[in-house]
mmCIF file of all heavy atoms in Angstrom:
data_model
loop_
_atom_site.group_PDB
_atom_site.id
_atom_site.type_symbol
_atom_site.label_atom_id
_atom_site.label_comp_id
_atom_site.label_asym_id
_atom_site.label_seq_id
_atom_site.Cartn_x
_atom_site.Cartn_y
_atom_site.Cartn_z
ATOM 1 N N LEU D 1202 -9.543 -39.559 26.352
ATOM 2 C CA LEU D 1202 -10.263 -40.149 25.216
ATOM 3 C C LEU D 1202 -11.464 -39.266 24.921
ATOM 4 O O LEU D 1202 -12.303 -39.004 25.788
ATOM 5 C CB LEU D 1202 -10.725 -41.572 25.560
ATOM 6 C CG LEU D 1202 -11.496 -42.298 24.457
ATOM 7 C CD1 LEU D 1202 -10.639 -42.487 23.207
ATOM 8 C CD2 LEU D 1202 -11.981 -43.666 24.944
ATOM 9 N N TRP D 1261 -26.417 -45.197 24.550
ATOM 10 C CA TRP D 1261 -25.843 -45.101 25.906
ATOM 11 C C TRP D 1261 -25.020 -46.358 26.194
ATOM 12 O O TRP D 1261 -23.953 -46.274 26.791
ATOM 13 C CB TRP D 1261 -26.950 -44.955 26.964
ATOM 14 C CG TRP D 1261 -27.763 -43.706 26.794
ATOM 15 C CD1 TRP D 1261 -27.376 -42.548 26.184
ATOM 16 C CD2 TRP D 1261 -29.104 -43.488 27.246
ATOM 17 N NE1 TRP D 1261 -28.392 -41.631 26.231
ATOM 18 C CE2 TRP D 1261 -29.466 -42.173 26.875
ATOM 19 C CE3 TRP D 1261 -30.046 -44.272 27.927
ATOM 20 C CZ2 TRP D 1261 -30.714 -41.633 27.167
ATOM 21 C CZ3 TRP D 1261 -31.280 -43.730 28.222
ATOM 22 C CH2 TRP D 1261 -31.617 -42.432 27.843
ATOM 23 N N VAL D 1305 -15.788 -38.055 33.488
ATOM 24 C CA VAL D 1305 -16.462 -38.268 32.198
ATOM 25 C C VAL D 1305 -17.227 -36.970 31.950
ATOM 26 O O VAL D 1305 -18.203 -36.668 32.635
ATOM 27 C CB VAL D 1305 -17.430 -39.470 32.248
ATOM 28 C CG1 VAL D 1305 -18.231 -39.566 30.943
ATOM 29 C CG2 VAL D 1305 -16.679 -40.779 32.498
ATOM 30 N N THR D 1366 -29.412 -19.123 23.913
ATOM 31 C CA THR D 1366 -28.238 -18.391 24.422
ATOM 32 C C THR D 1366 -27.167 -19.434 24.740
ATOM 33 O O THR D 1366 -27.446 -20.634 24.752
ATOM 34 C CB THR D 1366 -28.552 -17.578 25.711
ATOM 35 O OG1 THR D 1366 -28.846 -18.491 26.765
ATOM 36 C CG2 THR D 1366 -29.691 -16.608 25.514
ATOM 37 N N ARG D 1386 -12.133 -22.978 39.038
ATOM 38 C CA ARG D 1386 -12.327 -23.051 40.492
ATOM 39 C C ARG D 1386 -13.323 -24.152 40.820
ATOM 40 O O ARG D 1386 -14.511 -24.055 40.492
ATOM 41 C CB ARG D 1386 -12.865 -21.732 41.032
ATOM 42 C CG ARG D 1386 -11.931 -20.575 40.824
ATOM 43 C CD ARG D 1386 -11.787 -19.720 42.086
ATOM 44 N NE ARG D 1386 -10.908 -18.573 41.821
ATOM 45 C CZ ARG D 1386 -9.607 -18.565 42.067
ATOM 46 N NH1 ARG D 1386 -9.022 -19.620 42.589
ATOM 47 N NH2 ARG D 1386 -8.872 -17.497 41.795
ATOM 48 N N TYR D 1387 -12.816 -25.198 41.447
ATOM 49 C CA TYR D 1387 -13.678 -26.322 41.815
ATOM 50 C C TYR D 1387 -14.350 -26.045 43.152
ATOM 51 O O TYR D 1387 -13.718 -25.483 44.058
ATOM 52 C CB TYR D 1387 -12.848 -27.607 41.926
ATOM 53 C CG TYR D 1387 -12.297 -28.054 40.584
ATOM 54 C CD1 TYR D 1387 -10.998 -27.731 40.194
ATOM 55 C CD2 TYR D 1387 -13.091 -28.783 39.703
ATOM 56 C CE1 TYR D 1387 -10.499 -28.118 38.962
ATOM 57 C CE2 TYR D 1387 -12.589 -29.184 38.472
ATOM 58 C CZ TYR D 1387 -11.303 -28.842 38.101
ATOM 59 O OH TYR D 1387 -10.821 -29.221 36.880
ATOM 60 N N GLU D 1422 -60.264 -38.194 32.777
ATOM 61 C CA GLU D 1422 -60.219 -39.585 33.235
ATOM 62 C C GLU D 1422 -60.021 -40.526 32.040
ATOM 63 O O GLU D 1422 -59.216 -41.451 32.091
ATOM 64 C CB GLU D 1422 -61.550 -39.888 33.952
ATOM 65 C CG GLU D 1422 -61.647 -41.282 34.486
ATOM 66 C CD GLU D 1422 -62.931 -41.497 35.286
ATOM 67 O OE1 GLU D 1422 -63.755 -40.561 35.396
ATOM 68 O OE2 GLU D 1422 -63.104 -42.631 35.777
ATOM 69 N N ILE D 1428 -54.035 -44.096 28.823
ATOM 70 C CA ILE D 1428 -52.561 -44.140 28.890
ATOM 71 C C ILE D 1428 -52.131 -45.248 29.855
ATOM 72 O O ILE D 1428 -51.239 -46.047 29.558
ATOM 73 C CB ILE D 1428 -51.995 -42.769 29.324
ATOM 74 C CG1 ILE D 1428 -52.193 -41.749 28.206
ATOM 75 C CG2 ILE D 1428 -50.505 -42.867 29.672
ATOM 76 C CD1 ILE D 1428 -51.894 -40.322 28.582
ATOM 77 N N GLU D 1455 -58.390 -43.088 42.243
ATOM 78 C CA GLU D 1455 -58.754 -44.472 41.885
ATOM 79 C C GLU D 1455 -57.869 -44.988 40.745
ATOM 80 O O GLU D 1455 -57.440 -46.142 40.749
ATOM 81 C CB GLU D 1455 -60.237 -44.539 41.455
ATOM 82 C CG GLU D 1455 -61.226 -44.335 42.601
ATOM 83 C CD GLU D 1455 -61.016 -45.344 43.734
ATOM 84 O OE1 GLU D 1455 -60.923 -46.539 43.433
ATOM 85 O OE2 GLU D 1455 -60.899 -44.907 44.903
ATOM 86 N N TYR D 1483 -49.060 -30.728 51.176
ATOM 87 C CA TYR D 1483 -50.426 -30.244 50.935
ATOM 88 C C TYR D 1483 -51.361 -31.433 50.941
ATOM 89 O O TYR D 1483 -50.953 -32.563 50.636
ATOM 90 C CB TYR D 1483 -50.518 -29.530 49.575
ATOM 91 C CG TYR D 1483 -49.804 -28.209 49.542
ATOM 92 C CD1 TYR D 1483 -48.439 -28.161 49.254
ATOM 93 C CD2 TYR D 1483 -50.473 -27.016 49.802
ATOM 94 C CE1 TYR D 1483 -47.756 -26.947 49.236
ATOM 95 C CE2 TYR D 1483 -49.800 -25.799 49.777
ATOM 96 C CZ TYR D 1483 -48.444 -25.768 49.495
ATOM 97 O OH TYR D 1483 -47.776 -24.578 49.473
ATOM 98 N N TYR D 1516 -34.113 -55.021 37.802
ATOM 99 C CA TYR D 1516 -34.931 -55.802 38.730
ATOM 100 C C TYR D 1516 -36.284 -56.167 38.117
ATOM 101 O O TYR D 1516 -36.912 -55.328 37.476
ATOM 102 C CB TYR D 1516 -35.217 -55.003 40.011
ATOM 103 C CG TYR D 1516 -33.982 -54.548 40.736
ATOM 104 C CD1 TYR D 1516 -33.615 -53.204 40.725
ATOM 105 C CD2 TYR D 1516 -33.181 -55.443 41.438
ATOM 106 C CE1 TYR D 1516 -32.479 -52.763 41.395
ATOM 107 C CE2 TYR D 1516 -32.044 -55.004 42.110
ATOM 108 C CZ TYR D 1516 -31.699 -53.662 42.079
ATOM 109 O OH TYR D 1516 -30.581 -53.228 42.742
#
Side-chain angles (χ1 to χ4, degrees):
L1202 180 62
W1261 298 335
V1305 174
T1366 66
R1386 298 226 182 266
Y1387 293 97
E1422 180 175 2
I1428 290 170
E1455 290 303 311
Y1483 290 86
Y1516 303 108

